[in-house]
Amino acid sequence: MTVPMITLNDGTKIPQLGLGVWKMPDDEAPGIIMSALNNGYRHIDTAAAYGNEVGVGKGIAQSDVARDEIFVTSKLWNDRQGFDETLRAFDESMGKLGFETLDMYLIHWPMPAKDKYVETWKAFIRLRDEGRVRAIGVSNFLPDHLERLVDETGVTPCVNQVELHPRFQQAAQRKVHDKLGIATECWSPLGQGEVLGEPALIEIASRYGKSAAQVILRWEIQLGLITIPKSANHDRMRENISVFDFELSDAEMAQIASLDSKDGRIGPDPATAD
Ligand code: NAD
């Protein structure tokens, strides 16, 4: 299964669909990563906070796929924000992953009450300029946080990774990203599994001989989003990457758009999370 590439605002190419590894135990990660690579995944989304960078790095080192064919994202955790602390945290992540270069590094949360994300971003720019990371971006940044980064540093994040699934579609946030040239990446793209029983999705899925999970991922792909479903189960991993052989109609896209809900957020609100 070949996954299309999205070109980011700095020219870096990222596979549009990857594997999320939140809650994947470090000791199980090598086997799961190798299985994902065997099933065609070329994009892995980890974070310092997930505690599995060692396992992710091992899985990649032990696989038959060359390191430069795999796009790996990691994220700076909240308690490491600040210019010098960011540089140290990055070195620690790289030591755990065992990499020379990282494909993408994200600020995990803006933490506006701490007001350190601009100086943190300046350290990210340094890491990129030194060639230690190819692409830099953010996660959970609200429009005013994004605009401040651009105004104060002149460097626009490549990506903003935000909660996004059929019950929480982030239309206004996506519009801001489009205006600024930032790619939108969906976290919890399957709504952590809670959206899968939705009758409209099951009905659409039955038309194509697909699952509700595949319909959701296809909807995200057709919206031009980057998506990183998590599964540690080999069959589901295969299922989640098998979404490039069917196409939803405009009416089905609209039907899924109507599932958006004001109360659909699962995770914390970035305005207050710290
Ligand atoms: P998800 O929406 O990807 O759902 C994962 C869960 O859905 C699995 O644990 C499994 O129970 C179920 N599932 C997966 N595939 C399925 C299938 N084909 N059929 C039936 N059930 C299936 O949830 P997630 O793990 O929260 O999000 C994905 C990734 O996003 C994470 O692993 C992580 O990499 C990233 N993430 C980032 C942030 C952030 O703050 N940046 C926050 C949460 C998650």
Side-chain angles (χ1 to χ4, degrees):
M1 195 62 65
T2 306
V3 175
M5 305 294 270
I6 295 267
T7 303
L8 302 177
N9 63 20
D10 65 351
T12 307
K13 289 187 179 359
I14 181 172
Q16 199 178 356
L17 186 144
L19 182 75
V21 301
W22 183 33
K23 295 185 180 160
M24 189 175 288
D26 201 28
D27 58 342
E28 291 173 23
I32 297 167
I33 296 294
M34 278 193 279
S35 164
L37 294 171
N38 283 336
N39 282 307
Y41 286 81
R42 293 291 181 270
H43 168 183
I44 312 290
D45 182 85
T46 185
Y50 301 169
N52 55 20
E53 289 171 307
V54 171
V56 167
K58 269 192 199 155
I60 289 170
Q62 288 166 13
S63 87
D64 295 331
V65 182
R67 165 70 189 97
D68 63 6
E69 285 178 32
I70 307 165
F71 192 101
V72 181
T73 299
S74 193
K75 314 185 192 81
L76 175 87
W77 188 238
N78 301 344
D79 59 358
R80 308 302 297 274
Q81 284 203 24
F83 191 89
D84 293 334
E85 198 55 23
T86 295
L87 300 178
R88 278 193 286 272
F90 179 79
D91 283 343
E92 287 169 26
S93 279
M94 294 296 273
K96 288 181 178 163
L97 288 160
F99 295 164
E100 294 284 314
T101 325
L102 186 64
D103 299 287
M104 187 156 77
Y105 201 37
L106 306 181
I107 304 179
H108 210 141
W109 290 87
M111 315 272 295
K114 299 262 175 3
D115 197 20
K116 286 186 177 177
Y117 63 83
V118 176
E119 52 167 315
T120 301
W121 187 239
K122 289 181 180 164
F124 271 52
I125 296 167
R126 154 95 67 99
L127 291 166
R128 184 202 59 182
D129 291 348
E130 289 175 351
R132 305 201 60 206
V133 55
R134 291 166 60 211
I136 51 175
V138 296
S139 177
N140 301 303
F141 273 49
L142 297 173
D144 53 322
H145 309 139
L146 295 170
E147 275 154 19
R148 200 171 150 214
L149 289 188
V150 178
D151 287 350
E152 295 195 25
T153 69
V155 177
T156 306
C158 286
V159 156
N160 190 13
Q161 186 184 113
V162 294
E163 178 176 346
L164 202 158
H165 44 77
R167 292 241 174 86
F168 194 65
Q169 302 189 9
Q170 298 261 34
Q173 179 86 34
R174 282 191 271 135
K175 249 190 207 146
V176 172
H177 294 172
D178 291 345
K179 194 179 106 210
L180 294 174
I182 298 172
T184 303
E185 183 169 16
C186 316
W187 66 251
S188 296
L190 300 173
Q192 298 182 358
E194 288 170 26
V195 200
L196 299 175
E198 177 63 49
L201 297 173
I202 293 170
E203 193 225 310
I204 295 170
S206 70
R207 282 180 213 152
Y208 296 98
K210 295 281 181 184
S211 66
Q214 288 172 312
V215 167
I216 295 173
L217 296 169
R218 182 69 210 176
W219 168 75
E220 288 157 3
I221 295 290
Q222 284 183 219
L223 287 176
L225 310 174
I226 301 164
T227 185
I228 46 168
K230 189 246 170 170
S231 181
N233 170 297
H234 300 181
D235 292 338
R236 282 178 174 175
M237 276 197 291
R238 239 197 312 272
E239 181 182 323
N240 292 347
I241 202 172
S242 303
V243 294
F244 300 101
D245 55 356
F246 73 113
E247 193 165 340
L248 300 170
S249 67
D250 291 347
E252 288 162 342
M253 291 294 284
Q255 206 182 344
I256 301 172
S258 74
L259 301 176
D260 197 21
S261 156
K262 272 209 305 289
D263 313 315
R265 190 197 288 281
I266 298 171
D269 183 342
T272 48
D274 63 5

